[in-house]
Amino acid sequence: MKKNLSLIVLVALVVSVINVFAIINSSNDTSIQAYAKSNICTAQGDFMPAPFEETIVEELSIQKSDLICSAQGDIRPPPWDEEEKYVPSGS
Amino acid sequence: MVNFIQQYGAAIIRPIVLIGWFIIYKKSEDHQLTNYHIRMFMIFLLIFIIWNLFAVLFSENINFARFIYLFFWTAATIYEFFIIAKALFISLNLEKNKNIILIIILLILSVPVILAAVLSHTKKTYNPINTTDFYNMILLLFGTVLILKKILSNETFVENIESFFIYTGFALYFGLHILASNTVSINFQHYWFFAQYATLISLIYWTGSVLFIWKIKSKPLF
């Protein structure tokens, strides 16, 4: 019983320490990619909070999303526009 | 229609889940442990419903809406840690005279959560809460799996069928949110919608489990 309890406390402590370091690192990250991601909230909740600043990540347009397969399957087929770019060498 | 589901789907289905589980709570036999788990689960749903009410009420005031989000996100996360830690203590028979250790564990786990909310607010970036949500979900999923292991190995499994459905739902919820908050492996742009669908799937599971419990408890299967 004591072993289980010590293990729970240890796991909580280790994860919290890793968590604190990760939080501080991520909040100090000044790269463009991190800045882009930081504007989008991915944490749990039912209503998305407003971004802190205008997002610089390009939104998927309706036209583009129509070309992406979202049905079941393990490996996604290439979108139609990619296929159009392919020109057979014989032609 | 898709836009409506994306925006309000989880917020609408949550009170339905709460009503369903409240009916189960009222109709359940006098099994103390099961009733306790259902009560904890209903409070979890209630926190999100209050959160949503505030989010809708103050949606016009963006700065205040962000503050409300961070406040309720902190409260909900700490409460999730409480549910899982308490259930883990009960399932491992550690609850007797161990309340101080439970409080210490909750305090340790609350530090990064509160720090992330404060840093998000002061540095005006969602990176800290996104990061900590990912780590928290891993820890919560790990705890849930241990609770489920204990529930499944229990002789009174059918009597505790409600707890089984509550914690399998939590495993689904935490597991899917690990994928949603993980910006490393799933590097696509609509992160929030993935998280929202993760919540929707779990809520649909909890709604369906009400029917299963009602069916299982109303008459013998064989």
Side-chain angles (χ1 to χ4, degrees), chain B residues 6 14 16 36 43 54 72-74 86 104 114 118 126 147 149 151 171 177 195 198 200:
Chain B
Q6 274 181 349
R14 218 179 273 276
I16 297 168
Y36 174 77
I43 295 169
F54 274 92
F72 276 99
W73 173 81
T74 310
K86 184 77 181 168
I104 291 168
I114 296 165
V118 171
Y126 289 117
I147 296 162
K149 188 179 161 240
I151 290 172
H177 270 278
L200 258 178

Side-chain angles (χ1 to χ4, degrees), chain A residues 46, chain B residues 10-18 44-45 48-49 52 199 203:
Chain A
D46 289 348
Chain B
I12 289 168
I13 205 166
R14 218 179 273 276
I16 297 168
V17 178
L18 181 67
F44 164 77
L45 294 171
F48 273 82
I49 290 168
N52 291 342
T199 307
L203 289 171

Side-chain angles (χ1 to χ4, degrees), chain B:
Chain B
M1 186 68 184
V2 173
N3 285 341
F4 183 80
I5 292 170
Q6 274 181 349
Q7 206 165 355
Y8 298 107
I12 289 168
I13 205 166
R14 218 179 273 276
I16 297 168
V17 178
L18 181 67
I19 292 164
W21 279 89
F22 183 72
I23 294 165
I24 285 182
Y25 177 72
K26 280 281 164 201
K27 296 213 167 193
S28 70
E29 288 152 25
D30 200 23
H31 198 284
Q32 218 176 356
L33 195 63
T34 307
N35 285 350
Y36 174 77
H37 285 308
I38 300 174
R39 247 191 340 260
M40 290 290 106
F41 177 59
M42 286 197 303
I43 295 169
F44 164 77
L45 294 171
L46 209 60
I47 290 171
F48 273 82
I49 290 168
I50 297 166
W51 177 358
N52 291 342
L53 282 174
F54 274 92
V56 171
L57 277 174
F58 297 99
S59 56
E60 297 298 314
N61 188 346
I62 291 172
N63 279 330
F64 194 61
R66 277 196 204 109
F67 182 77
I68 284 168
Y69 176 85
L70 291 173
F71 173 78
F72 276 99
W73 173 81
T74 310
T77 308
I78 293 170
Y79 186 72
E80 281 164 8
F81 276 130
F82 171 72
I83 297 179
I84 300 303
K86 184 77 181 168
L88 200 59
F89 268 52
I90 292 169
S91 59
L92 295 172
N93 296 321
L94 294 171
E95 81 271 32
K96 284 165 197 159
N97 304 320
K98 301 289 182 201
N99 280 340
I100 294 166
I101 295 169
L102 180 70
I103 293 165
I104 291 168
I105 291 171
L106 284 176
L107 284 173
I108 292 169
L109 294 170
S110 303
V111 170
V113 177
I114 296 165
L115 180 72
V118 171
L119 279 176
S120 277
H121 185 69
T122 52
K123 296 209 169 188
K124 295 188 188 310
T125 164
Y126 289 117
N127 259 351
I129 64 162
N130 290 346
T131 309
T132 194
D133 210 50
F134 173 61
Y135 286 101
N136 292 343
M137 291 296 147
I138 291 173
L139 205 56
L140 287 164
L141 180 65
F142 185 66
T144 310
V145 169
L146 289 178
I147 296 162
L148 278 172
K149 188 179 161 240
K150 203 72 187 170
I151 290 172
L152 287 167
S153 61
N154 210 323
E155 283 175 11
T156 56
F157 172 70
V158 180
E159 282 176 34
N160 280 315
I161 197 83
E162 293 92 342
S163 311
F164 171 76
F165 278 110
I166 289 170
Y167 289 102
T168 42
F170 271 127
L172 192 68
Y173 181 81
F174 298 140
L176 289 174
H177 270 278
I178 288 172
L179 297 176
S181 57
N182 182 4
T183 53
V184 180
S185 67
I186 301 174
N187 197 19
F188 67 99
Q189 282 124 334
H190 285 76
Y191 304 117
W192 174 264
F193 298 118
F194 194 93
Q196 210 167 30
Y197 287 132
T199 307
L200 258 178
I201 291 164
S202 314
L203 289 171
I204 290 166
Y205 175 82
W206 277 317
T207 316
S209 59
V210 171
L211 301 172
F212 266 104
I213 293 164
W214 170 67
K215 205 73 185 156
I216 290 165
K217 293 264 169 157
S218 63
K219 58 181 177 185
L221 281 174
F222 301 104

